[in-house]
């Protein structure tokens, strides 16, 4: 279902004035484009990742290799979204991504 502002009355649940780059644990959700089921399917109440689901898991697990001020906690991949807990440990590196390692 496409977003329709006449029917979907979304409001931000963010705290006004809160600096979300501050150290702390954050529960995040990342949804696929148009909520397409790209990451696999649920069979017998268990999530079965497909190739894209495994890629999503690998990308999640790579975050600390690019942002040293982060620690990953629990996460779950669903057919059309990912939930995870990301811990920011240090504000001093705000906006600084670590360069990729030379793969040669």
């Amino acid at each position: 279902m496409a977003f329709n502002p006449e029917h979907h009355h979304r409001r931000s649940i963010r705290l006004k004035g809160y600096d979300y780059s501050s150290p702390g644990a954050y529960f995040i959700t990342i949804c696929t484009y148009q909520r397409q089921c790209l990451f696999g399917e649920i069979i017998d109440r268990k999530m079965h990742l497909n190739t894209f689901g495994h890629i999503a898991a690998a990308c999640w697990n790579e975050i600390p290799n690019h942002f040293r001020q982060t620690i990953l906690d629990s996460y779950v991949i669903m057919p059309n979204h990912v939930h995870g807990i990301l811990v920011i440990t240090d504000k001093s590196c705000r906006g600084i991504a670590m360069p990729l390692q030379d793969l040669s």
Side-chain angles (χ1 to χ4, degrees):
M1 173 185 294
F3 174 74
N4 180 339
E6 296 296 320
H7 294 100
H8 302 100
H9 303 285
R10 294 184 182 168
R11 65 176 180 78
S12 176
I13 60 171
R14 291 180 175 234
L15 295 174
K16 289 188 186 334
Y18 184 77
D19 180 0
Y20 281 91
S21 66
S22 297
Y26 296 90
F27 178 79
I28 61 172
T29 300
I30 304 168
C31 297
T32 61
Y33 177 69
Q34 296 184 337
R35 300 200 185 258
Q36 296 176 61
C37 293
L38 301 177
F39 300 139
E41 60 185 323
I42 297 173
I43 301 171
D44 294 327
R45 300 177 60 163
K46 183 174 182 198
M47 180 62 189
H48 294 269
L49 299 178
N50 61 18
T51 300
F52 294 126
H54 288 289
I55 291 170
C59 289
W60 174 265
N61 288 310
E62 278 291 313
I63 291 172
N65 295 330
H66 301 280
F67 300 93
R68 292 190 182 141
Q69 70 278 17
T70 61
I71 297 172
L72 301 177
D73 204 308
S74 298
Y75 75 99
V76 61
I77 298 177
M78 300 303 291
N80 64 359
H81 63 281
V82 177
H83 291 297
I85 299 173
L86 178 76
V87 180
I88 298 175
T89 61
D90 182 6
K91 187 174 182 171
S92 66
C93 297
R94 180 180 179 180
I96 300 173
M98 305 320 286
L100 294 173
Q101 297 295 325
D102 183 8
L103 300 176
S104 57

